[in-house]
Amino acid sequence: MFDRVFINAVDRNGRPLHLAVRDGRFAAVGAERPEGATADTVDLGGRVVLPGFVDGHIHLDKSFVGDRWHPHEPAATLRERLAAEKRLLGTARPIAERADALIAQAAAFGTVAMRSHVDVDATTGLTNLHAVMAAREKWRGIVDIELVAFPQAGVVSCAGTADMLDAAVREGAGVVGGIDPTTLDGDADGQLDIVFGIAEKRGAKIDIHLHEPGQQGIEQLLRIAARTRASGLHGRVAVSHAYALGEVPADDVARTAAALADAGVAILTNAPGDCAFPPVRQLRAAGVHVFTGNDNIGDAWWPYGNGDMLQRANLVGYRSGFYTDDELNVALEMATHAGARVIGKDGYGIEVGCEATFVAVDAPNAAAAVAGVPGARWVVRRGVPATDAPVTPRLNFLR
């Protein structure tokens, strides 16, 4: 007997699809309606069924979602931006409340897992981490949240931050972060010694923000790949942004991609609107694991974003020049399976035995969903619809 059967859906290619659920997992997936007794039948009305979305890079402690609207303040340098952020966050609602509001908004769009970077340094201590951990606990079992101890202010240049990163990993951050080892810290080897040292000692993963430009950024990527190979951390290291890959000739990209693929270093891109970003096609062809996330959402860094990973897949496709159905499905894969693999989400996907968690949207197939980004979502978690009918999430800003 099935607990619930979902009928009259279509799969990513637009073919008929029926889904049967037992004990929160898919018991049958296919073109034919499952035979057998069922406690409940849900008609999906021809909607396409997609895996729950995975946000591979978000900052839950920075967003003003759940607070009033804060107009963007221009800044000429990184230090000016950090000062503006500190001032604006000082007047915002508590981190746990804002993080909760952003998680709720993302969950309504269909996000089921995310990797959140959280500021940790000698000045902030573990305050932000503890606040986001409290929000994470509230959503346990609904949205899986992996936390990165993120040294926004630098590792070597901000005395005492190395100890805070180690403490953060001990207290529940599964990933140790880094940022621009040369341009921010002025000591690439020193920062990477600390980051890789903590990861090896604590069994943590690594995710390094890298904004360094051109050939300097390429050399940094090659340095990180070499460290990853030497540390035996294949598949456990990611580099976020890596703008340099979009700023150098194709031959340099090919050389770097080969090193990244060999070392098992993944690349995160959110396809930002104002700068070059990694060439997704070329990296994937070379065997590099590429995934996506929203990054900052309505915070002191930029005013854009709503937490919708289907919209993020659309932006990745738009900026990458993806037009064919196969290419649009690549953008979707970056917002689903690719991110799930990086954070280690088990039992994920639309297959028998996997957790019966999915999103149904009004589109004839997955490519059309990425291209058009239908607003209304029907989110199902472990075989249970979150609502009786599709809903369009509202933005959680205070009026």
Side-chain angles (χ1 to χ4, degrees):
M1 179 175 178
F2 302 124
D3 300 325
R4 186 169 287 106
V5 172
F6 296 88
I7 64 170
N8 193 24
V10 297
D11 67 12
R12 59 183 291 175
N13 297 309
R15 298 175 298 213
L17 181 66
H18 304 278
L19 309 162
V21 178
R22 183 187 301 117
D23 297 328
R25 294 190 173 274
F26 290 119
V29 176
E32 302 297 326
R33 181 169 175 171
E35 298 294 335
T38 179
D40 190 15
T41 298
V42 179
D43 189 333
L44 292 178
R47 294 177 177 86
V48 62
V49 168
L50 308 175
F53 304 125
V54 179
D55 192 329
H57 188 122
I58 193 171
H59 291 266
L60 291 173
D61 58 330
K62 295 177 180 290
S63 177
F64 294 125
V65 171
D67 192 28
R68 63 180 177 83
W69 174 259
H70 291 257
H72 183 72
E73 294 187 10
T77 66
L78 174 60
R79 295 299 180 187
E80 284 184 18
R81 173 62 58 213
L82 293 174
E85 178 184 51
K86 184 175 183 178
R87 183 179 67 258
L88 290 167
L89 288 175
T91 64
R93 296 175 69 86
I95 292 172
E97 293 181 18
R98 290 183 284 108
D100 175 64
L102 181 51
I103 297 168
Q105 188 166 296
F109 279 117
T111 290
V112 300
M114 58 177 61
R115 171 178 279 187
S116 176
H117 296 251
V118 183
D119 283 11
V120 172
D121 58 50
T123 302
T124 304
L126 303 182
T127 300
N128 292 24
L129 178 69
H130 291 155
V132 174
M133 289 176 71
R136 177 176 68 170
E137 190 61 32
K138 180 177 178 179
W139 288 90
R140 188 173 297 279
I142 301 173
V143 179
D144 296 333
I145 303 175
E146 182 178 61
L147 300 180
V148 184
F150 174 47
Q152 175 78 80
V155 179
V156 178
S157 59
C158 185
T161 293
D163 290 338
M164 284 295 101
L165 291 176
D166 188 57
V169 174
R170 292 200 310 271
E171 295 203 20
V175 187
V176 57
I179 179 171
D180 297 336
T182 297
T183 56
L184 184 60
D185 266 349
D187 184 356
D189 288 331
Q191 181 181 132
L192 296 179
D193 283 345
I194 292 168
V195 171
F196 277 84
I198 294 171
E200 292 181 72
K201 179 173 65 174
R202 302 295 178 191
K205 301 177 190 176
I206 294 173
D207 194 327
I208 298 173
H209 281 61
L210 187 63
H211 315 95
E212 297 183 17
Q215 292 298 331
Q216 179 174 300
I218 293 300
E219 293 308 310
Q220 204 71 270
L221 287 167
L222 293 173
R223 186 179 287 114
I224 291 168
R227 291 267 186 157
T228 301
R229 286 193 301 272
S231 303
L233 291 175
H234 189 284
R236 296 180 62 80
V237 176
V239 176
S240 290
H241 308 313
Y243 299 146
L245 287 166
E247 299 171 340
V248 298
D251 287 349
D252 288 329
V253 175
R255 172 173 63 98
T256 310
L260 294 171
D262 180 62
V265 175
I267 295 293
L268 174 287
T269 182
N270 66 321
D274 64 345
C275 60
F277 68 102
V280 175
R281 285 190 192 89
Q282 186 176 359
L283 292 176
R284 283 174 55 93
V288 180
H289 190 77
V290 189
F291 63 115
T292 190
N294 277 296
D295 197 13
N296 299 79
I297 296 175
D299 60 14
W301 293 81
W302 56 51
Y304 294 102
N306 59 7
D308 182 1
M309 283 302 296
L310 184 57
Q311 183 186 80
R312 184 57 50 182
N314 172 280
L315 291 172
V316 168
Y318 182 86
R319 289 220 62 205
S320 298
F322 289 172
Y323 300 121
T324 68
D325 282 14
D326 285 346
E327 289 173 328
L328 291 167
N329 275 301
V330 166
L332 178 64
E333 196 265 346
M334 289 171 60
T336 54
H337 288 276
R341 175 180 162 188
V342 169
I343 71 171
K345 184 169 175 58
D346 297 324
Y348 173 87
I350 313 297
E351 297 179 4
V352 171
C354 290
E355 181 182 293
T357 296
F358 61 89
V359 184
V361 301
D362 191 9
N365 54 46
V370 173
V373 194
R377 310 290 164 85
W378 203 338
V379 182
V380 175
R381 290 186 172 84
R382 297 183 179 85
V384 180
T387 56
D388 293 332
V391 298
T392 300
R394 65 182 296 273
L395 301 183
N396 290 325
F397 281 106
L398 297 178
R399 302 292 178 179

